[in-house]
Amino acid sequence: MLRATLIFTAGFLASLGAGWLALPKTLYRTEAQPLSFNHQVHTGDKGNMACEDCHSFRENGSFAGIPKLESCAGCHAEAMGETAAEKQFVANFVKPGREPQWKVYARQPDNAFFPHSPHVKAAKLKCEKCHGDHGKSTTLPLYQVNRISGYSLDVMGRPAGRWGLQRAGGMRMDDCVACHRQNGLSHSCLDCHK
Amino acid sequence: MIRRDLLKFGGGAAAGLAFTPIPWRLLGDTAMWSQNWSWMPRVPRGEVADKDARCTLCPAACAVKARCAGGVPIGLWPRESALCPAGFVAHHIAWHPIRLRTCLHRGQPAKNEDALRAASARLSGASGSVAVLDLVPGRTASLLHRHHLAKLGGTYLVPPVVEGATAAATQSLLAQPVALAAVLSDVKTVLSFSTPLLDGWAAPGRVARPNRQFRVIQAEARRSRTAGIADEWLAIRPGSETTLALAIAHCLLKQLSAPAASLDRFAEWTRAAEAMSPALAAQSTGIDPTRIEKLAAELRREPSLVLADGDPVGGPLGNELQSAAAALNVMLGLHGLKARPAIPVPKDWAGVDETPISNAADGSISLLIIDEPTPGQALPWSLIAPKLAHDALVVALTWNQPHFAAQADYLVPVPVFLEAQQDAPAPHDTPQAAFSLSPALLPAPDGVMHASDFVARLAGDEVAFADRLAERIKAIGADPKELEAGGQWIAPAAASTLAARRILPPGMTADRLLAAAQRPAEPLHVVAHGWRASATSPLLGKLWQESALRDAPRSASAHPATMRNLKVVVGRPAVLDTPSGRLPVNLSADENLQEGVLALSSGPAFTQICQSDSSGAWRVPGAKVVPA
């Protein structure tokens, strides 16, 4: 009986290990960003820029997302500093006029519609509320993409996060609903799934 | 370690699995994976911008605003008052599952050049003639077909007129024939015989309830959407529309104004009308004689228009009814009908005249080219087949795969709405001759070929359709940039006064009218109806059908008593059995229908089983419903 219990428990623990330890490592693959980017240089004392200086709103109110190359080239037509990343950026992207193909950490599925404008302009939410300290980072975090769904870990969150066992991260539907519920706002299906 | 230990370990592992994220995570991830299959259209990321455009899927050419993400249209909205459901999803057509994307030869992949070579060989080798059957006449491509056919010595064929049929019938009665448009805003009352007047016939902005200044009386056998929202629905027995028209004329004759009596062939019309008293008509139509008299008085009291245009999928209503409706319009003073000026054409574009397909000689066509650029054009194959020579080659230049798959030797894909600049035919519900252009916002897939380019190459003309379109715009005097940006060129309204010369067209006799009015009822009268928009987007069709707002193709309804007589029950598979073929149908009960009537929501399959009768109406004679 003891032997049987031990074998059963071994199987049970093996599953737990595979599920909680191996799955997160195998489910996601890491993809490289086109170049290293330092937010802190731009937003800190040296650059003293605000988020919206680069991540701006268009005239029609829609959010432009990651700035286009022409925005960056306004300052970086030539290298302003001595870092290798900036020189690489100017040589490989600015000079040839090649748009960097950034991987977007917060890209939502196509069936989810998230407008920045009402959240930032009307609700006065700080960028950090959803994006954390991203604006103060010195290097870009790893871009981890789900091998099955194709979405970023930063959108889906960590598997254990749902149970409070890990720092959750992610920007999932539950997070949107929770925040709306907390603030007494509507959260019908068609608000986001248009 | 023995096998039993392995099983215990597996049992423990299975139990433990439930306490890990593996099953739950895989469920969620695979669900999202299924949303991102490579063949599914993806909305591109990029700036969201609105562009003004025109929808050219029907002659209304409604002004739309196209919302584009990364340059690709993701939504259409009305720029003016209203837009029909098809217009809201018109941009879906490029991704429709039945969209034809590659040339097919008898179901096998082929190249457009193969179709061109086969057509050229047929032109040079065989006797007989080439013909182009244009399912959307009145476009620039139509003019070019006629021009190229003049070089080839061919025939330009057009399907029977459905929308605008009454105006066309009235046009033949005028002293100076001019193209006519039915202008609903000029009348107070419209009597519509089974015409989907409020459901796709006119530009939605002109018939939407807040804008509607006229009263609609719908005489129809089934409670169509137009009948449902009309001011009054006359539930007439199917096939008795001509009877009602003659009975109304009978009442009007008593109060006739002098000019009408002096028209040619008035005696013939009078003979038919006098023979059909309201009391006699009531037996066929099921409408109370006093209501018929009252209806005639209503039509006479205020400017009124009578329409008998038919359904774009169910087909025309027949020459007799169209002639009777035109005659009633003459008696009522030709209200609501206005001359529509022609849109200029480049001087060197002379072409052959158009020929109704019913007038083409049997067995005369050795090469038939069918041009089907947009959804919604139904035409029974029984109208086309007799015109073909024994070994005729049929090339269908079409947007969709299934419509002519069984009959055409070659299916050649054409660019669809928003993949190439296209103009719309002149609208039939406004006197303004308007020219509108839909923009090319989407890249056309490799291998599509404009129908006009196909015919042009046969005729040895290497000028592309896009350049020909620019020539036409120049001849019109319109600004191409404004047209591209959703503008519309409108010709000055014609100032001609309409005067009728005769009240019946040549060949239409009192005997024919009375024969149509007294045609014995079929044991099971199939009333077919369709909806142009259902073919535009599978999403729209799904939403409307699942919400029961529209009947799905192949759904049929009948009165419960009719179903009892047919010994069929709701929910059981059934087949519409006709001499022309069998059509599986999904049956439902509808107490609004009269006994002996089967309302059939028709898709392309309907055109395989219906036949054009001697009057030109599309019917399904000898039909019965049997359990499958």
Side-chain angles (χ1 to χ4, degrees), chain A residues 166-182:
Chain A
Q166 272 179 295
R167 183 181 158 274
M171 290 175 237
R172 291 162 49 120
M173 189 173 78
D174 296 346
D175 303 310
C176 303
V177 171
C179 188
H180 273 232
R181 190 171 281 153
Q182 194 179 342

Side-chain angles (χ1 to χ4, degrees), chain B residues 126-175:
Chain B
S127 58
S129 68
V130 55
V132 172
L133 172 59
D134 187 354
L135 294 181
V136 189
R139 301 162 296 139
T140 299
S142 311
L143 293 166
L144 288 167
H145 288 330
R146 295 165 70 167
H147 176 61
H148 294 131
L149 285 166
K151 290 183 187 172
L152 293 167
T155 313
Y156 174 73
L157 300 173
V158 289
V161 180
V162 178
E163 290 165 318
T166 313
T170 313
Q171 178 187 332
S172 67
L173 309 178
L174 299 179

Side-chain angles (χ1 to χ4, degrees), chain A residues 39-55:
Chain A
H39 273 95
Q40 207 273 333
V41 162
H42 295 81
T43 58
D45 292 341
K46 197 171 178 185
N48 204 23
M49 295 170 78
C51 299
E52 56 270 24
D53 289 341
C54 296
H55 302 286

Side-chain angles (χ1 to χ4, degrees), chain A residues 154-165:
Chain A
D154 295 78
V155 168
M156 303 312 301
R158 295 182 187 282
R162 298 293 114 187
W163 294 277
L165 301 175

Side-chain angles (χ1 to χ4, degrees), chain B residues 91 95 117 214 231 249-250 342 406 439 458 552 565 580:
Chain B
H91 58 297
W95 290 279
R117 263 195 301 275
F214 54 90
D231 297 277
H250 181 100
L458 288 180
N565 291 340
S580 307

Side-chain angles (χ1 to χ4, degrees), chain A residues 3-4 7-8 10-12 14-16 19-20 27-28 58 60 107-108 110-111 146 148-149 151 156-159, chain B residues 1 5 8-9 11-13 15-17 19-22 25-26 29-30 32-33 35-36 42 45-48:
Chain A
R3 176 184 162 83
I7 293 173
F8 184 89
F12 190 88
S15 265
L16 290 181
W20 291 104
L27 189 60
Y28 289 90
R58 300 188 186 96
N60 63 7
R107 173 170 289 181
Q108 290 286 331
D110 282 343
N111 64 351
N146 188 303
I148 300 172
S149 71
Y151 292 111
M156 303 312 301
R158 295 182 187 282
Chain B
M1 181 71 79
D5 293 338
K8 286 171 188 164
F9 185 86
L17 206 60
F19 295 93
T20 72
I22 291 177
R25 192 70 204 228
L26 292 183
D29 287 349
T30 47
M32 278 184 286
W33 168 70
Q35 296 166 4
N36 295 312
R42 302 291 300 272
R45 300 280 167 163
E47 186 174 359
V48 177

